[in-house]
Coordinates of all heavy atoms in Angstrom, one line a residue:
M188 N 36.8 -19.5 -35.9 CA 36.8 -19.6 -34.4 C 36.1 -18.4 -33.8 O 36.2 -17.3 -34.3 CB 38.3 -19.7 -34.0 CG 38.5 -20.3 -32.6 SD 40.2 -20.8 -32.4 CE 40.7 -19.5 -31.3
T189 N 35.4 -18.7 -32.7 CA 34.6 -17.6 -32.0 C 35.5 -16.8 -31.1 O 36.3 -17.4 -30.3 CB 33.5 -18.2 -31.2 OG1 32.7 -19.1 -32.0 CG2 32.6 -17.1 -30.7
D190 N 35.4 -15.5 -31.2 CA 36.1 -14.7 -30.2 C 35.2 -14.3 -29.1 O 34.1 -13.8 -29.3 CB 36.5 -13.3 -30.9 CG 37.8 -13.5 -31.7 OD1 38.5 -14.5 -31.4 OD2 38.0 -12.8 -32.7
Y191 N 35.5 -14.7 -27.9 CA 34.7 -14.3 -26.7 C 35.2 -13.0 -26.1 O 36.4 -12.8 -26.0 CB 34.8 -15.5 -25.7 CG 34.2 -16.7 -26.2 CD1 34.9 -17.8 -26.7 CD2 32.8 -16.9 -26.2 CE1 34.4 -19.0 -27.1 CE2 32.2 -18.1 -26.7 CZ 33.0 -19.1 -27.1 OH 32.4 -20.2 -27.6
P192 N 34.3 -12.1 -25.7 CA 34.7 -10.9 -25.1 C 35.4 -11.2 -23.7 O 34.9 -12.1 -23.1 CB 33.4 -10.1 -24.9 CG 32.3 -11.2 -24.9 CD 32.8 -12.3 -25.8
S193 N 36.4 -10.4 -23.4 CA 37.0 -10.7 -22.1 C 36.1 -10.1 -21.0 O 35.5 -9.1 -21.2 CB 38.4 -10.1 -22.0 OG 38.3 -8.7 -22.1
V194 N 36.0 -10.8 -19.9 CA 35.2 -10.4 -18.8 C 36.1 -10.3 -17.6 O 36.9 -11.2 -17.3 CB 34.1 -11.4 -18.5 CG1 33.3 -11.0 -17.3 CG2 33.2 -11.7 -19.7
S195 N 36.0 -9.1 -16.9 CA 36.9 -8.9 -15.8 C 36.5 -9.8 -14.6 O 35.3 -10.3 -14.6 CB 36.9 -7.5 -15.3 OG 35.6 -7.2 -14.7
F196 N 37.4 -10.0 -13.7 CA 37.1 -10.8 -12.5 C 35.9 -10.3 -11.8 O 34.9 -11.0 -11.4 CB 38.3 -10.9 -11.6 CG 38.0 -11.7 -10.4 CD1 37.9 -13.1 -10.4 CD2 37.8 -11.0 -9.1 CE1 37.7 -13.8 -9.2 CE2 37.6 -11.8 -8.0 CZ 37.5 -13.1 -8.0
E197 N 35.9 -8.9 -11.6 CA 34.8 -8.3 -10.9 C 33.5 -8.5 -11.6 O 32.4 -8.8 -11.0 CB 35.1 -6.8 -10.8 CG 36.2 -6.4 -9.8 CD 37.6 -6.8 -10.4 OE1 37.7 -6.9 -11.6 OE2 38.5 -6.9 -9.6
D198 N 33.4 -8.4 -13.0 CA 32.2 -8.6 -13.7 C 31.7 -10.0 -13.6 O 30.5 -10.3 -13.4 CB 32.4 -8.3 -15.2 CG 32.2 -6.9 -15.6 OD1 31.8 -6.1 -14.7 OD2 32.4 -6.5 -16.7
R199 N 32.7 -10.9 -13.6 CA 32.3 -12.3 -13.5 C 31.6 -12.6 -12.2 O 30.6 -13.3 -12.2 CB 33.7 -13.1 -13.6 CG 33.5 -14.6 -14.0 CD 34.8 -15.3 -13.9 NE 35.8 -14.7 -14.8 CZ 37.1 -14.8 -14.6 NH1 37.6 -15.5 -13.6 NH2 38.0 -14.3 -15.5
M200 N 32.2 -12.1 -11.1 CA 31.6 -12.3 -9.8 C 30.3 -11.6 -9.7 O 29.3 -12.1 -9.0 CB 32.6 -12.0 -8.7 CG 33.9 -12.7 -8.8 SD 33.7 -14.5 -8.9 CE 33.5 -15.0 -7.2
E201 N 30.2 -10.4 -10.3 CA 29.0 -9.6 -10.1 C 27.8 -10.2 -10.8 O 26.7 -10.1 -10.4 CB 29.3 -8.2 -10.8 CG 28.1 -7.2 -10.7 CD 27.7 -6.8 -9.3 OE1 28.6 -6.9 -8.4 OE2 26.6 -6.4 -9.2
R202 N 28.0 -11.0 -11.9 CA 26.9 -11.6 -12.6 C 26.6 -13.0 -12.1 O 25.8 -13.7 -12.7 CB 27.4 -11.8 -14.1 CG 27.6 -10.5 -14.8 CD 28.1 -10.7 -16.2 NE 28.6 -9.5 -16.8 CZ 28.9 -9.4 -18.1 NH1 28.6 -10.4 -18.9 NH2 29.4 -8.3 -18.6
T203 N 27.1 -13.3 -11.0 CA 26.9 -14.7 -10.5 C 26.3 -14.6 -9.1 O 26.7 -13.8 -8.3 CB 28.3 -15.4 -10.5 OG1 28.9 -15.2 -11.7 CG2 28.1 -16.9 -10.2
E204 N 25.4 -15.5 -8.8 CA 24.8 -15.7 -7.5 C 25.3 -17.0 -6.9 O 25.3 -18.0 -7.7 CB 23.3 -15.6 -7.6 CG 22.6 -15.7 -6.3 CD 21.1 -15.8 -6.5 OE1 20.6 -15.2 -7.5 OE2 20.4 -16.4 -5.6
F205 N 25.5 -17.1 -5.7 CA 25.9 -18.3 -5.1 C 25.0 -18.7 -3.9 O 24.8 -17.9 -3.0 CB 27.4 -18.2 -4.5 CG 28.4 -17.9 -5.5 CD1 28.8 -16.6 -5.8 CD2 29.0 -18.9 -6.3 CE1 29.7 -16.3 -6.8 CE2 29.9 -18.7 -7.3 CZ 30.3 -17.3 -7.5
R206 N 24.3 -19.8 -4.1 CA 23.4 -20.3 -3.0 C 24.2 -21.2 -2.1 O 24.4 -22.4 -2.4 CB 22.2 -20.9 -3.6 CG 21.3 -19.9 -4.4 CD 20.1 -20.5 -5.0 NE 19.5 -19.5 -5.8 CZ 18.6 -19.7 -6.8 NH1 18.3 -21.0 -7.1 NH2 18.1 -18.7 -7.5
V207 N 24.8 -20.7 -1.1 CA 25.8 -21.4 -0.3 C 25.2 -22.5 0.5 O 24.3 -22.3 1.3 CB 26.6 -20.4 0.6 CG1 27.6 -21.2 1.4 CG2 27.2 -19.4 -0.3
A208 N 25.7 -23.7 0.3 CA 25.2 -24.9 1.1 C 26.0 -24.9 2.4 O 27.2 -24.4 2.5 CB 25.4 -26.2 0.3
E209 N 25.5 -25.6 3.4 CA 26.2 -25.7 4.7 C 27.4 -26.7 4.5 O 28.4 -26.5 5.0 CB 25.3 -26.3 5.7 CG 24.6 -25.2 6.6 CD 23.8 -25.8 7.7 OE1 24.3 -26.7 8.4 OE2 22.6 -25.3 7.8
R210 N 27.2 -27.7 3.7 CA 28.2 -28.7 3.5 C 29.1 -28.2 2.4 O 28.7 -27.8 1.3 CB 27.6 -30.0 3.0 CG 28.6 -31.1 2.8 CD 27.9 -32.4 2.3 NE 27.3 -32.2 0.9 CZ 28.1 -32.4 -0.2 NH1 29.3 -32.7 -0.1 NH2 27.5 -32.2 -1.4
A211 N 30.4 -28.3 2.6 CA 31.4 -27.9 1.6 C 31.5 -29.0 0.5 O 31.7 -30.2 0.8 CB 32.8 -27.8 2.2
H212 N 31.2 -28.7 -0.7 CA 31.2 -29.7 -1.8 C 32.6 -30.0 -2.3 O 32.8 -31.0 -3.0 CB 30.3 -29.3 -3.0 CG 30.8 -28.0 -3.7 ND1 30.7 -26.8 -3.1 CD2 31.3 -27.9 -4.9 CE1 31.2 -25.9 -4.0 NE2 31.6 -26.5 -5.1
I213 N 33.5 -29.1 -2.0 CA 35.0 -29.4 -2.3 C 35.7 -29.2 -1.0 O 35.5 -28.2 -0.3 CB 35.5 -28.4 -3.3 CG1 34.8 -28.6 -4.7 CG2 37.0 -28.6 -3.5 CD1 35.2 -27.6 -5.7
T214 N 36.6 -30.2 -0.7 CA 37.5 -30.0 0.4 C 38.9 -30.2 -0.1 O 39.2 -30.9 -1.0 CB 37.2 -31.0 1.6 OG1 37.3 -32.3 1.1 CG2 35.8 -30.7 2.2
V215 N 39.8 -29.5 0.6 CA 41.3 -29.6 0.2 C 42.1 -30.0 1.4 O 41.9 -29.5 2.5 CB 41.7 -28.2 -0.3 CG1 43.2 -28.2 -0.6 CG2 40.9 -27.7 -1.5
D216 N 42.9 -31.0 1.2 CA 43.7 -31.6 2.3 C 45.0 -30.8 2.3 O 45.9 -30.9 1.5 CB 44.0 -33.0 2.0 CG 45.0 -33.6 3.0 OD1 45.3 -33.0 4.0 OD2 45.5 -34.7 2.7
G217 N 45.1 -29.9 3.3 CA 46.3 -29.0 3.4 C 47.6 -29.7 3.5 O 48.6 -29.2 3.0
D218 N 47.6 -30.9 4.1 CA 48.9 -31.6 4.3 C 49.4 -32.1 2.9 O 50.6 -32.0 2.7 CB 48.6 -32.8 5.2 CG 48.5 -32.4 6.6 OD1 48.9 -31.3 7.0 OD2 47.9 -33.2 7.4
S219 N 48.5 -32.5 2.0 CA 48.9 -32.9 0.7 C 49.5 -31.7 -0.1 O 50.4 -31.8 -0.8 CB 47.7 -33.4 -0.1 OG 47.2 -34.6 0.5
C220 N 48.9 -30.5 0.2 CA 49.3 -29.3 -0.6 C 50.7 -28.8 -0.2 O 51.4 -28.2 -1.0 CB 48.3 -28.2 -0.3 SG 46.7 -28.6 -1.0
R221 N 51.1 -29.1 1.0 CA 52.4 -28.6 1.5 C 53.6 -29.2 0.6 O 54.6 -28.5 0.4 CB 52.7 -29.0 3.0 CG 52.7 -27.8 3.8 CD 52.8 -28.2 5.3 NE 51.5 -28.5 5.9 CZ 50.6 -27.6 6.2 NH1 50.8 -26.3 6.0 NH2 49.5 -28.0 6.7
G222 N 53.4 -30.4 0.1 CA 54.5 -30.9 -0.7 C 54.3 -30.6 -2.2 O 55.1 -31.1 -3.0
C223 N 53.3 -29.8 -2.6 CA 53.0 -29.6 -4.0 C 53.9 -28.4 -4.5 O 53.9 -27.4 -3.9 CB 51.6 -29.2 -4.1 SG 51.1 -28.6 -5.8
T224 N 54.6 -28.7 -5.6 CA 55.5 -27.6 -6.1 C 54.8 -26.8 -7.2 O 55.3 -25.6 -7.4 CB 56.7 -28.3 -6.8 OG1 56.3 -29.3 -7.7 CG2 57.6 -29.0 -5.7
T225 N 53.7 -27.2 -7.8 CA 53.1 -26.4 -8.9 C 52.1 -25.4 -8.4 O 52.0 -24.3 -8.9 CB 52.4 -27.3 -9.9 OG1 51.3 -28.0 -9.3 CG2 53.4 -28.4 -10.5
K226 N 51.4 -25.8 -7.3 CA 50.2 -25.0 -6.8 C 49.4 -24.6 -8.0 O 48.9 -23.4 -8.1 CB 50.8 -23.7 -6.1 CG 51.6 -24.1 -4.8 CD 50.7 -24.5 -3.7 CE 51.5 -24.6 -2.3 NZ 52.4 -25.6 -2.2
A227 N 49.1 -25.5 -8.9 CA 48.4 -25.2 -10.2 C 47.0 -24.7 -9.9 O 46.5 -23.9 -10.7 CB 48.3 -26.5 -11.0
C228 N 46.4 -25.1 -8.8 CA 45.0 -24.6 -8.5 C 44.9 -23.1 -8.3 O 43.9 -22.5 -8.6 CB 44.5 -25.3 -7.2 SG 45.6 -25.1 -5.8
V229 N 46.0 -22.5 -7.8 CA 46.0 -21.1 -7.5 C 45.8 -20.3 -8.8 O 45.0 -19.3 -8.8 CB 47.3 -20.7 -6.8 CG1 47.4 -19.2 -6.6 CG2 47.5 -21.4 -5.5
V230 N 46.4 -20.6 -9.9 CA 46.2 -19.8 -11.1 C 45.1 -20.4 -11.9 O 44.5 -19.7 -12.7 CB 47.5 -19.8 -12.0 CG1 48.6 -19.0 -11.3 CG2 48.0 -21.2 -12.3
A231 N 44.7 -21.6 -11.7 CA 43.7 -22.2 -12.6 C 42.2 -21.9 -12.1 O 41.3 -21.8 -13.0 CB 43.8 -23.8 -12.6
C232 N 42.0 -21.7 -10.9 CA 40.7 -21.4 -10.4 C 40.2 -20.0 -10.8 O 40.7 -19.0 -10.5 CB 40.6 -21.5 -8.9 SG 39.0 -21.1 -8.2
P233 N 39.1 -20.0 -11.6 CA 38.6 -18.7 -12.1 C 38.0 -17.8 -11.0 O 37.7 -16.7 -11.3 CB 37.5 -19.1 -13.2 CG 37.1 -20.5 -12.7 CD 38.3 -21.1 -12.1
A234 N 37.7 -18.4 -9.9 CA 37.1 -17.6 -8.8 C 38.1 -17.3 -7.7 O 37.8 -16.7 -6.7 CB 36.0 -18.4 -8.2
N235 N 39.4 -17.6 -8.0 CA 40.5 -17.3 -7.1 C 40.3 -17.8 -5.6 O 40.4 -17.1 -4.7 CB 40.7 -15.7 -7.0 CG 41.3 -15.2 -8.3 OD1 41.6 -15.9 -9.2 ND2 41.3 -13.9 -8.4
L236 N 39.8 -19.0 -5.5 CA 39.5 -19.6 -4.2 C 40.6 -20.3 -3.5 O 40.5 -20.6 -2.3 CB 38.3 -20.6 -4.4 CG 37.0 -19.9 -4.9 CD1 35.9 -21.0 -5.1 CD2 36.5 -18.8 -4.0
F237 N 41.8 -20.5 -4.2 CA 42.9 -21.1 -3.6 C 44.0 -20.1 -3.3 O 44.4 -19.4 -4.2 CB 43.5 -22.2 -4.5 CG 42.6 -23.3 -4.8 CD1 41.6 -23.3 -5.7 CD2 42.8 -24.5 -4.1 CE1 40.7 -24.4 -5.9 CE2 42.0 -25.6 -4.3 CZ 40.9 -25.5 -5.2
V238 N 44.3 -19.9 -2.0 CA 45.3 -18.9 -1.6 C 46.5 -19.6 -0.9 O 46.3 -20.3 0.1 CB 44.6 -17.9 -0.6 CG1 45.6 -16.9 -0.2 CG2 43.4 -17.2 -1.3
P239 N 47.7 -19.4 -1.4 CA 48.8 -20.1 -0.8 C 49.2 -19.4 0.5 O 49.0 -18.2 0.7 CB 50.0 -19.8 -1.8 CG 49.4 -19.0 -2.9 CD 48.0 -18.7 -2.7
T240 N 49.6 -20.2 1.5 CA 50.0 -19.6 2.8 C 51.5 -19.6 2.9 O 52.2 -20.4 2.2 CB 49.4 -20.5 3.9 OG1 49.8 -21.8 3.8 CG2 47.9 -20.4 3.9
S241 N 52.0 -18.9 3.8 CA 53.5 -18.7 4.0 C 54.2 -20.0 4.4 O 55.4 -20.2 4.1 CB 53.8 -17.6 5.0 OG 53.2 -17.9 6.2
D242 N 53.4 -21.0 4.9 CA 54.1 -22.3 5.3 C 53.9 -23.3 4.2 O 54.1 -24.5 4.5 CB 53.5 -22.7 6.7 CG 52.0 -23.1 6.5 OD1 51.4 -22.8 5.5 OD2 51.4 -23.7 7.5
G243 N 53.6 -22.9 3.0 CA 53.5 -23.9 1.9 C 52.2 -24.5 1.8 O 52.0 -25.4 0.9
G244 N 51.2 -24.2 2.6 CA 49.9 -24.8 2.5 C 49.0 -24.0 1.6 O 49.4 -23.1 0.8
I245 N 47.7 -24.3 1.7 CA 46.7 -23.7 0.8 C 45.5 -23.4 1.7 O 45.0 -24.2 2.5 CB 46.2 -24.6 -0.3 CG1 47.3 -24.7 -1.4 CG2 44.9 -24.2 -0.9 CD1 47.3 -23.4 -2.3
L246 N 45.0 -22.2 1.6 CA 43.7 -21.8 2.2 C 42.6 -21.9 1.1 O 42.8 -21.5 0.0 CB 43.7 -20.4 2.7 CG 44.2 -20.1 4.0 CD1 44.1 -18.6 4.3 CD2 43.5 -20.9 5.1
F247 N 41.5 -22.6 1.4 CA 40.5 -22.8 0.4 C 39.1 -22.4 0.9 O 38.8 -22.8 2.1 CB 40.4 -24.2 -0.1 CG 39.3 -24.5 -1.1 CD1 39.4 -24.0 -2.4 CD2 38.2 -25.2 -0.7 CE1 38.3 -24.2 -3.3 CE2 37.1 -25.4 -1.6 CZ 37.2 -24.9 -2.9
N248 N 38.3 -21.8 0.1 CA 36.9 -21.4 0.5 C 36.0 -21.8 -0.6 O 36.1 -21.4 -1.7 CB 36.9 -19.9 0.7 CG 35.5 -19.4 1.0 OD1 34.6 -20.2 1.2 ND2 35.4 -18.1 1.1
Y249 N 35.0 -22.7 -0.3 CA 34.1 -23.3 -1.4 C 33.0 -22.4 -1.7 O 32.3 -22.6 -2.7 CB 33.6 -24.6 -0.9 CG 32.5 -24.5 0.2 CD1 31.2 -24.5 -0.1 CD2 32.9 -24.3 1.5 CE1 30.2 -24.4 0.9 CE2 31.9 -24.2 2.5 CZ 30.6 -24.2 2.2 OH 29.6 -24.1 3.2
E250 N 32.7 -21.3 -1.0 CA 31.4 -20.6 -1.1 C 31.2 -19.9 -2.4 O 30.0 -19.8 -2.8 CB 31.3 -19.6 0.1 CG 31.3 -20.3 1.4 CD 31.2 -19.4 2.6 OE1 31.1 -18.2 2.4 OE2 31.1 -19.9 3.7
Q251 N 32.2 -19.5 -3.1 CA 32.0 -18.8 -4.4 C 32.5 -19.6 -5.5 O 33.1 -19.1 -6.5 CB 32.6 -17.4 -4.4 CG 31.9 -16.5 -3.4 CD 32.4 -15.1 -3.4 OE1 33.6 -14.9 -3.4 NE2 31.5 -14.1 -3.5
C252 N 32.3 -20.9 -5.5 CA 32.8 -21.8 -6.5 C 31.9 -21.9 -7.7 O 30.7 -22.0 -7.6 CB 32.9 -23.2 -5.8 SG 33.3 -24.5 -7.0
F253 N 32.5 -21.9 -8.9 CA 31.7 -22.0 -10.2 C 31.4 -23.4 -10.5 O 30.7 -23.6 -11.6 CB 32.5 -21.3 -11.3 CG 32.6 -19.8 -11.3 CD1 33.9 -19.2 -11.3 CD2 31.5 -19.0 -11.1 CE1 34.0 -17.9 -11.3 CE2 31.7 -17.7 -11.1 CZ 32.9 -17.1 -11.2
E254 N 31.9 -24.4 -9.8 CA 31.6 -25.8 -10.1 C 32.2 -26.2 -11.5 O 31.6 -27.0 -12.2 CB 30.1 -26.1 -10.0 CG 29.6 -25.9 -8.6 CD 28.1 -25.9 -8.5 OE1 27.5 -26.6 -9.2 OE2 27.6 -25.1 -7.7
C255 N 33.3 -25.6 -11.9 CA 33.8 -25.9 -13.2 C 34.7 -27.1 -13.2 O 34.9 -27.7 -14.3 CB 34.6 -24.7 -13.7 SG 36.1 -24.3 -12.7
G256 N 35.2 -27.5 -12.1 CA 36.0 -28.7 -12.0 C 37.5 -28.6 -12.4 O 38.2 -29.5 -12.4
T257 N 37.9 -27.3 -12.7 CA 39.2 -27.1 -13.2 C 40.3 -27.5 -12.1 O 41.3 -28.1 -12.5 CB 39.4 -25.6 -13.6 OG1 38.4 -25.3 -14.5 CG2 40.8 -25.4 -14.2
C258 N 40.0 -27.2 -10.9 CA 41.0 -27.5 -9.8 C 41.2 -29.0 -9.8 O 42.4 -29.4 -9.6 CB 40.5 -26.9 -8.5 SG 38.8 -27.5 -8.0
Y259 N 40.2 -29.7 -9.9 CA 40.3 -31.2 -9.8 C 41.1 -31.7 -11.0 O 41.9 -32.7 -10.8 CB 38.9 -31.8 -9.8 CG 38.8 -33.2 -9.4 CD1 39.2 -33.6 -8.1 CD2 38.3 -34.2 -10.2 CE1 39.2 -34.9 -7.7 CE2 38.2 -35.5 -9.8 CZ 38.7 -35.9 -8.6 OH 38.6 -37.2 -8.2
L260 N 40.9 -31.1 -12.1 CA 41.7 -31.6 -13.3 C 43.2 -31.2 -13.2 O 44.0 -32.0 -13.6 CB 41.1 -31.0 -14.6 CG 39.7 -31.5 -15.0 CD1 39.2 -30.7 -16.2 CD2 39.8 -33.0 -15.3
V261 N 43.5 -30.0 -12.7 CA 44.9 -29.6 -12.8 C 45.7 -30.2 -11.6 O 46.9 -30.2 -11.6 CB 45.1 -28.1 -12.8 CG1 44.4 -27.5 -14.1 CG2 44.5 -27.4 -11.6
C262 N 45.1 -30.5 -10.5 CA 45.8 -31.0 -9.3 C 46.4 -32.4 -9.6 O 45.6 -33.3 -10.0 CB 44.8 -31.1 -8.1 SG 45.6 -31.7 -6.7
N263 N 47.7 -32.5 -9.4 CA 48.3 -33.8 -9.7 C 48.7 -34.6 -8.4 O 49.5 -35.5 -8.5 CB 49.5 -33.6 -10.6 CG 50.5 -32.7 -10.0 OD1 50.4 -32.3 -8.9 ND2 51.6 -32.3 -10.7
T264 N 48.1 -34.2 -7.3 CA 48.4 -34.9 -6.1 C 47.2 -35.7 -5.6 O 46.1 -35.1 -5.3 CB 48.8 -33.9 -4.9 OG1 49.8 -33.1 -5.4 CG2 49.1 -34.6 -3.6
E265 N 47.3 -37.0 -5.6 CA 46.2 -37.9 -5.3 C 45.7 -37.5 -3.9 O 46.4 -37.4 -2.9 CB 46.8 -39.3 -5.2 CG 45.8 -40.4 -4.9 CD 45.1 -40.9 -6.1 OE1 45.8 -41.0 -7.2 OE2 43.9 -41.3 -6.0
G266 N 44.3 -37.4 -3.9 CA 43.7 -37.1 -2.6 C 43.7 -35.7 -2.1 O 43.1 -35.4 -1.0
A267 N 44.4 -34.8 -2.8 CA 44.4 -33.4 -2.2 C 43.1 -32.7 -2.3 O 42.7 -32.0 -1.4 CB 45.5 -32.6 -3.0
I268 N 42.3 -33.0 -3.4 CA 41.0 -32.4 -3.6 C 40.0 -33.4 -3.6 O 40.1 -34.4 -4.3 CB 41.0 -31.6 -4.9 CG1 42.0 -30.4 -4.8 CG2 39.6 -31.1 -5.2 CD1 42.0 -29.5 -6.1
T269 N 38.9 -33.2 -2.8 CA 37.8 -34.1 -2.8 C 36.6 -33.2 -3.4 O 36.3 -32.2 -2.9 CB 37.4 -34.5 -1.4 OG1 38.5 -35.2 -0.9 CG2 36.2 -35.5 -1.5
W270 N 36.1 -33.7 -4.5 CA 35.2 -32.9 -5.3 C 33.8 -33.6 -5.5 O 33.7 -34.7 -5.9 CB 35.8 -32.7 -6.7 CG 35.4 -31.5 -7.5 CD1 36.1 -30.3 -7.6 CD2 34.2 -31.2 -8.2 NE1 35.5 -29.4 -8.4 CE2 34.2 -29.9 -8.8 CE3 33.0 -32.0 -8.4 CZ2 33.2 -29.4 -9.5 CZ3 32.0 -31.4 -9.2 CH2 32.1 -30.1 -9.7
T271 N 32.8 -32.9 -5.1 CA 31.4 -33.3 -5.4 C 30.6 -32.1 -5.8 O 31.1 -31.0 -5.7 CB 30.7 -33.9 -4.1 OG1 30.7 -32.9 -3.1 CG2 31.5 -35.2 -3.6
Y272 N 29.4 -32.3 -6.2 CA 28.5 -31.2 -6.5 C 27.8 -30.8 -5.2 O 27.7 -31.6 -4.3 CB 27.4 -31.6 -7.5 CG 27.9 -31.6 -8.9 CD1 28.1 -32.8 -9.6 CD2 28.3 -30.5 -9.6 CE1 28.7 -32.9 -10.9 CE2 28.8 -30.5 -10.9 CZ 29.0 -31.7 -11.5 OH 29.5 -31.7 -12.8
P273 N 27.4 -29.5 -5.1 CA 26.7 -29.1 -3.9 C 25.3 -29.8 -3.7 O 24.8 -30.4 -4.7 CB 26.4 -27.6 -4.1 CG 27.3 -27.2 -5.2 CD 27.6 -28.4 -6.0
D274 N 24.8 -29.8 -2.5 CA 23.5 -30.4 -2.3 C 22.4 -29.7 -3.1 O 22.6 -28.5 -3.5 CB 23.1 -30.3 -0.8 CG 24.1 -31.1 0.1 OD1 24.7 -32.1 -0.5 OD2 24.4 -30.7 1.2
G275 N 21.3 -30.4 -3.5 CA 20.3 -29.9 -4.3 C 19.8 -28.5 -3.9 O 19.6 -28.3 -2.7
G276 N 19.6 -27.6 -4.9 CA 19.1 -26.3 -4.6 C 20.2 -25.3 -4.2 O 19.9 -24.1 -4.0
H277 N 21.4 -25.8 -4.1 CA 22.5 -24.9 -3.7 C 23.5 -24.8 -4.8 O 23.5 -25.6 -5.8 CB 23.2 -25.5 -2.4 CG 22.3 -25.4 -1.2 ND1 21.5 -26.5 -0.9 CD2 22.1 -24.5 -0.3 CE1 20.8 -26.2 0.2 NE2 21.1 -25.0 0.6
G278 N 24.5 -23.9 -4.6 CA 25.6 -23.8 -5.6 C 25.4 -22.6 -6.5 O 24.7 -21.6 -6.1
V279 N 26.1 -22.6 -7.6 CA 26.2 -21.4 -8.4 C 25.0 -21.2 -9.3 O 24.4 -22.1 -9.8 CB 27.5 -21.5 -9.3 CG1 27.3 -22.7 -10.3 CG2 27.8 -20.2 -10.0
V280 N 24.6 -19.9 -9.5 CA 23.5 -19.5 -10.4 C 24.1 -18.4 -11.3 O 24.4 -17.4 -10.8 CB 22.3 -19.0 -9.6 CG1 21.2 -18.7 -10.5 CG2 21.9 -20.0 -8.5
F281 N 24.3 -18.7 -12.5 CA 24.9 -17.8 -13.5 C 23.8 -16.8 -14.0 O 22.6 -17.0 -13.9 CB 25.5 -18.5 -14.6 CG 26.7 -19.3 -14.2 CD1 26.7 -20.7 -14.2 CD2 27.9 -18.6 -14.0 CE1 27.8 -21.4 -13.8 CE2 29.0 -19.3 -13.6 CZ 29.0 -20.7 -13.5
R282 N 24.3 -15.6 -14.4 CA 23.5 -14.6 -15.1 C 22.4 -14.1 -14.2 O 21.2 -14.2 -14.5 CB 22.9 -15.2 -16.4 CG 23.9 -15.4 -17.4 CD 24.2 -14.1 -18.2 NE 25.3 -14.2 -19.0 CZ 26.0 -13.1 -19.5 NH1 25.6 -11.9 -19.2 NH2 27.0 -13.3 -20.3
R283 N 22.7 -13.6 -13.0 CA 21.7 -13.0 -12.2 C 21.1 -11.8 -12.9 O 21.8 -11.0 -13.5 CB 22.4 -12.6 -10.8 CG 21.4 -12.0 -9.9 CD 22.0 -11.8 -8.5 NE 23.2 -10.9 -8.7 CZ 24.1 -10.7 -7.7 NH1 24.0 -11.3 -6.6 NH2 25.1 -9.9 -7.9
T284 N 19.8 -11.6 -12.8 CA 19.2 -10.4 -13.4 C 18.6 -9.6 -12.3 O 18.4 -10.0 -11.2 CB 18.1 -10.8 -14.4 OG1 17.1 -11.7 -13.7 CG2 18.6 -11.6 -15.6
Ligands
SF4_541 S1 45.1 -28.6 -4.4 FE1 46.5 -29.8 -5.7 S2 47.5 -28.3 -7.1 FE2 46.6 -27.2 -5.4 S3 48.2 -26.9 -4.0 FE3 47.1 -28.7 -3.3 S4 48.1 -30.4 -4.2 FE4 48.8 -28.6 -5.3
SF4_542 S1 35.5 -26.1 -9.3 FE1 36.3 -24.3 -10.5 S2 35.6 -22.5 -9.3 FE2 35.3 -24.2 -8.0 S3 37.2 -24.3 -6.7 FE3 37.5 -25.6 -8.5 S4 38.5 -24.3 -10.1 FE4 37.6 -23.0 -8.5

């Protein structure tokens, strides 16, 4: 089995460029999130883009998204997350030099 070196959150973000599109490629329905007991997206998102609010909702920001799809996989509430890829020429660019 391959051992991968651990990369800090700061390193991960530092090595990544985001070409931000005007259109949000992921949207989150805050009303659906209010009834969610797991808030799985909060710990699963490697870019820390899901932030719980004091009223039980979720704040979400698409701009630094890795497009990994993890949030969509872990969310068990139908319709809470709408996931598409960013428009052409936009989105994440790994390994900035
Ligand atoms: S996005 Fe899904 S997992 Fe995250 S808080 Fe909303 S309903 Fe829960
Ligand atoms: S696709 Fe990945 S990086 Fe983007 S919001 Fe979902 S979990 Fe976070």
Side-chain angles (χ1 to χ4, degrees):
M188 203 162 102
T189 308
D190 282 333
Y191 293 101
S193 68
V194 179
S195 71
F196 177 76
E197 289 74 21
D198 270 0
R199 197 184 305 156
M200 301 310 275
E201 180 63 24
R202 294 177 196 193
T203 312
E204 178 184 336
F205 300 93
R206 295 181 185 156
V207 179
E209 269 184 46
R210 181 186 68 86
H212 65 289
I213 297 176
T214 56
V215 179
D216 174 13
D218 288 340
S219 300
C220 297
R221 248 176 276 286
C223 173
T224 53
T225 66
K226 299 285 192 286
C228 57
V229 175
V230 291
C232 175
N235 291 352
L236 297 178
F237 293 80
V238 178
T240 60
S241 55
D242 65 352
I245 284 284
L246 274 179
F247 175 73
N248 176 4
Y249 73 96
E250 296 181 358
Q251 294 186 310
C252 172
F253 290 127
E254 298 164 38
C255 64
T257 308
C258 54
Y259 194 60
L260 289 175
V261 300
C262 179
N263 58 6
T264 304
E265 180 90 33
I268 295 179
T269 304
W270 207 102
T271 60
Y272 285 107
D274 297 332
H277 296 88
V279 67
V280 182
F281 291 105
R282 291 275 169 198
R283 183 174 56 192
T284 55

